[in-house]
Amino acid sequence: MLSKEIYRDNQHTWYVFGRDPDKPDGIIDTNQYMISCGDQALLMDPGGIELFASMLASIVKHIPVDQITHLFASHQDPDIISSLGLWDRTLSKASLHASGLWEGFIRHFGMDNIEYQAIADEGGSLSLGACSVEFIPAHYLHSSANFHVYDAQAKILMSGDIGAALEAPGAAMEIEDFEAHTHKMRYFHQRWMPSNKAKDRWIDRISKLDIDMMCPQHGRIFRGDDVKRFLDWFSKLEVGIAAQ
Ligand SMILES: [Fe+2]
Ligand SMILES: [Fe+2]
């Protein structure tokens, strides 16, 4: 599995994990992200059951597993958090941050030790030692209760399924040609994102943030001007379309 540092300053480090060559065919490729700050770490959208062993092996190359003190699930999908029951048996002390609306559903993945910390619809924040992140509402994009993670210091937005692209196995992790990349994003956004109104509200909110890097849960990372290009492209895209 690819396991790569994408940002570092004197307080904290961001990692991406993905492109697992051992992933069974037929399950969607996912990106997992982690922020490590001092002796605490936040693992974002930890992934499915099928990826758990590769994820654990990749993480321990960077930090001791017991430093994972916080998990985050942008929403309830199995590709996001079906590994929860396995993390629950692995981590001695950790909390899961996810929408309160999904608690009764997410607990079906198995959760005895990890503490569920419900995020209210308006969002919230999390301190991670000397670092902090914000949970930004992204409801109905695509899940009815959905959040992204913004790190103001690193200027990184972890954007869950927004910005997702369907890629061939082993594809690069960063966008090389934005125009060409839109062809891999269009269907995903039109079919999975149900609401143009929710989309416009999210674009308004995100446009006010200072973002150097946007990190989706599928596909490739957007850097620099490609973040603005994505917001422009998404604003013009009509979503909520299915053949009937
Ligand atoms: Fe999803
Ligand atoms: Fe997803």
Side-chain angles (χ1 to χ4, degrees):
M1 174 181 276
L2 179 148
S3 144
K4 189 178 158 193
E5 193 177 301
I6 54 171
Y7 172 87
R8 177 187 281 269
D9 63 23
N10 54 14
Q11 280 186 321
H12 69 313
T13 309
W14 273 73
Y15 302 91
V16 61
F17 306 95
R19 306 288 191 266
D20 184 4
D22 302 324
K23 173 183 80 59
D25 291 342
I27 65 170
I28 191 166
D29 188 38
T30 53
N31 304 327
Q32 292 67 236
Y33 298 94
M34 183 173 76
I35 301 173
S36 163
C37 182
D39 58 0
Q40 296 188 52
L42 167 68
L43 182 58
M44 289 164 277
D45 287 357
I49 288 176
E50 297 281 4
L51 258 70
F52 175 78
S54 301
M55 277 298 292
L56 190 57
S58 300
I59 287 170
V60 297
K61 288 179 195 158
H62 302 289
I63 60 167
V65 72
D66 259 356
Q67 287 191 0
I68 301 175
T69 45
H70 301 275
L71 305 178
F72 164 79
S74 59
H75 59 292
Q76 82 293 355
D77 272 346
D79 65 322
I80 301 278
I81 189 66
S82 68
S83 58
L84 180 61
L86 298 168
W87 288 111
D88 191 68
R89 283 178 234 162
T90 306
L91 303 177
S92 52
K93 191 172 172 0
S95 352
L96 170 69
H97 302 263
S99 167
L101 203 67
W102 284 121
E103 178 170 357
F105 298 72
I106 286 177
R107 282 183 177 277
H108 277 273
F109 291 128
M111 205 175 147
D112 293 323
N113 299 312
I114 291 176
E115 181 192 353
Y116 198 105
Q117 293 204 0
I119 307 173
D121 272 354
E122 311 79 62
S125 60
L126 170 68
S127 292
L128 204 63
C131 309
S132 67
V133 294
E134 283 173 61
F135 301 129
I136 309 279
H139 305 310
Y140 301 103
L141 296 167
H142 63 96
S143 169
S144 43
N146 201 103
F147 293 95
H148 297 160
V149 178
Y150 179 60
D151 177 342
Q153 193 180 326
K155 300 181 183 171
I156 298 177
L157 178 73
M158 189 285 203
S159 61
D161 277 334
I162 293 193
L166 301 172
E167 286 285 357
M173 196 46 91
E174 301 198 351
I175 291 169
E176 286 139 10
D177 176 344
F178 181 82
E179 254 337 283
H181 194 65
T182 60
H183 301 295
K184 299 174 190 163
M185 299 194 290
R186 183 170 291 107
Y187 178 77
F188 189 97
H189 289 78
Q190 289 191 317
R191 186 67 182 87
W192 287 106
M193 305 294 158
S195 163
N196 287 301
K197 196 171 155 194
K199 181 194 75 162
D200 292 342
R201 199 181 308 134
W202 180 84
I203 291 170
D204 264 4
R205 183 175 286 138
I206 295 307
S207 301
K208 296 183 183 105
L209 304 176
D210 194 0
I211 301 172
D212 282 347
M213 217 185 298
M214 189 177 105
C215 299
Q217 191 235 350
H218 311 278
R220 302 190 187 205
I221 293 173
F222 301 74
R223 279 189 192 264
D225 290 344
D226 282 343
V227 176
K228 171 83 171 64
R229 285 188 190 104
F230 175 79
L231 296 179
D232 289 346
W233 172 84
F234 196 32
S235 73
K236 291 182 197 121
L237 187 77
E238 194 186 344
V239 301
I241 295 171
Q244 301 186 39

